[in-house]
Amino acid sequence: MHFQATTVALAALFTTVHSHAAILAAVGDKGTSQGFLVNPEIARNCTTISPCQQDATIIRDSEISQNIVNACGRTELTGNIDIGEQTENELAAGRMTQVSSGSMLAVTIHQVNADGAGPFECDMDETSNAVTTFTPLKVANNVPGSFGLSQEKEKDFVINVQMPDKFNCIGASTGNICTVRCRNNAVAGPFGGCVAVQQTDGTGRGNDKAASSVKTAQTLQGISAQILQNVKDLPVAIAANQAAGAAGGNAGASAISALVTATVDPNAKATQTAAAGNGNGNQNGNQNGKGKGKGNGNNAGQGAGQKAGQGAGQNAGQNAGNANQKGAGRGGNRNKRFAFFA
């Protein structure tokens, strides 16, 4: 599994996280939505890391606030979940449930093993992809469990999510899409997922399609902080993408893995930054882990997301050097920051 491979050198320092829950589907007034990046080919009758956990979703506020992932998190198979892209994919595939004011959304959650349990909390972004603080939603018939743990495994549960009496979806190319997100509170997670829903009784985006009509905004402080973080993250992300490309791997997942393993602040909190198109870059993560390491390995020591040549630096400083060559790899901030892997 990719994330294990990229963190093997850090095994003594960090706990590897494995994903244990996934949203399979959501049914509202009409039609069915599929969970973002759910893979129908993955078995649901097992608990092993591969293949059973590969499309389960990890959604951590610390990774969202550091711009490692979008507000819907990541999977271990594909990395960051691009909300805008996934929403358009679901629209094109005709997998979009419809909702209305006060209606009920039945969400099917697959619990892979122990820490994919409940309770789950759900919230919603009426813009679909432009804020990091979602509107809380009421949940009934919750998945059994305490602190995200139970003895259940390989089992589907259906929770009932209540849509608000007043809301207005304005997202996606149709101008009437919301994103609904559900996750538990497991320490190894949180685990859960996101689905797109289409509102039928709202005003939507309206007819004003001028750029000047967009009301989302970002603060100067937020913009400045993000620029600094992105500058620090860029070298690590580039190295991870190049290494994954050379090996024929998933560049997006590799970059996120490199950033997460380099993260030194897993407790960072998500902040409200009503920025248009939150986290549009799959590889724009943030990281400050500084460390110098020697690249080890006879086959092109590839740090930051590659198996060979792991940097043994301080606080997960990843090395992007070549085989038998000493590198001064700086743990950057990229699509994945260390935290605990699911």
Side-chain angles (χ1 to χ4, degrees):
M1 186 179 75
H2 173 74
F3 288 115
Q4 286 184 314
T6 58
T7 57
V8 64
L10 308 175
L13 297 176
F14 309 131
T15 300
T16 301
V17 182
H18 303 298
S19 314
H20 299 147
I23 292 182
L24 302 184
V27 178
D29 300 335
K30 181 181 179 182
T32 302
S33 291
Q34 178 177 285
F36 289 165
L37 285 182
V38 164
N39 187 339
E41 301 302 318
I42 289 182
R44 305 298 174 192
N45 61 349
C46 56
T47 62
T48 56
I49 296 173
S50 185
C52 311
Q53 301 174 20
Q54 293 300 290
D55 68 343
T57 303
I58 310 148
I59 309 174
R60 295 174 175 151
D61 282 359
S62 61
E63 295 176 6
I64 295 170
S65 67
Q66 295 174 84
N67 201 31
I68 296 171
V69 296
N70 285 187
C72 286
R74 58 184 169 89
T75 71
E76 296 194 69
L77 184 65
T78 59
N80 174 60
I81 295 175
D82 187 317
I83 300 173
E85 177 182 353
Q86 292 308 310
T87 299
E88 295 304 317
N89 288 346
E90 295 305 301
L91 281 168
R95 295 189 296 256
M96 189 68 62
T97 193
Q98 295 179 342
V99 296
S100 55
S101 298
S103 67
M104 192 68 69
L105 185 67
V107 179
T108 301
I109 296 174
H110 179 70
Q111 181 175 341
V112 179
N113 57 11
D115 55 9
F120 278 76
E121 58 185 57
C122 300
D123 45 21
M124 177 175 67
D125 176 5
E126 294 179 42
T127 71
S128 175
N129 187 31
V131 298
T132 55
T133 298
F134 287 27
T135 301
L137 300 174
K138 295 180 180 180
V139 178
N141 193 37
N142 216 320
V143 178
S146 177
F147 297 113
L149 292 162
S150 76
Q151 291 184 306
E152 295 288 356
K153 61 181 179 179
E154 306 170 17
K155 187 172 182 178
D156 292 350
F157 293 91
V158 178
I159 64 174
N160 296 323
V161 180
Q162 183 79 46
M163 301 304 292
D165 290 332
K166 294 182 179 180
F167 70 103
N168 186 39
C169 299
I170 64 171
S173 58
T174 56
N176 60 356
I177 303 296
C178 284
T179 297
V180 174
R181 174 179 67 180
C182 296
R183 53 182 172 169
N184 69 6
N185 59 352
V187 172
F191 303 116
C194 289
V195 295
V197 298
Q198 185 173 44
Q199 185 180 11
T200 57
D201 64 346
T203 59
R205 179 82 181 265
N207 295 322
D208 189 354
K209 299 180 180 180
S212 58
S213 69
V214 177
K215 303 302 180 184
T216 49
Q218 172 64 291
T219 65
L220 177 60
Q221 180 180 6
I223 293 172
S224 299
Q226 191 61 71
I227 290 174
L228 291 175
Q229 199 63 66
N230 288 343
V231 169
K232 293 177 182 178
D233 290 347
L234 190 59
V236 171
I238 290 176
N241 280 345
Q242 291 175 339
N250 185 320
S254 297
I256 288 189
S257 180
L259 291 178
V260 172
T261 55
T263 299
V264 295
D265 187 12
N267 297 316
K269 302 297 183 181
T271 56
Q272 170 63 28
T273 56
N278 170 46
N280 288 330
N282 287 346
Q283 272 55 286
N284 288 335
N286 307 309
Q287 185 41 343
N288 294 321
K290 296 179 180 179
K292 295 181 178 180
K294 294 181 179 181
N296 300 318
N298 296 323
N299 302 318
Q302 300 163 7
Q306 204 51 26
K307 295 180 180 179
Q310 304 287 341
Q314 173 187 3
N315 289 334
Q318 295 287 334
N319 175 30
N322 294 318
N324 300 323
Q325 179 181 13
K326 295 183 179 179
R330 291 193 175 270
N333 310 322
R334 222 8 218 166
N335 271 359
K336 294 207 169 201
R337 302 215 165 197
F338 152 101
F340 296 78
F341 278 0

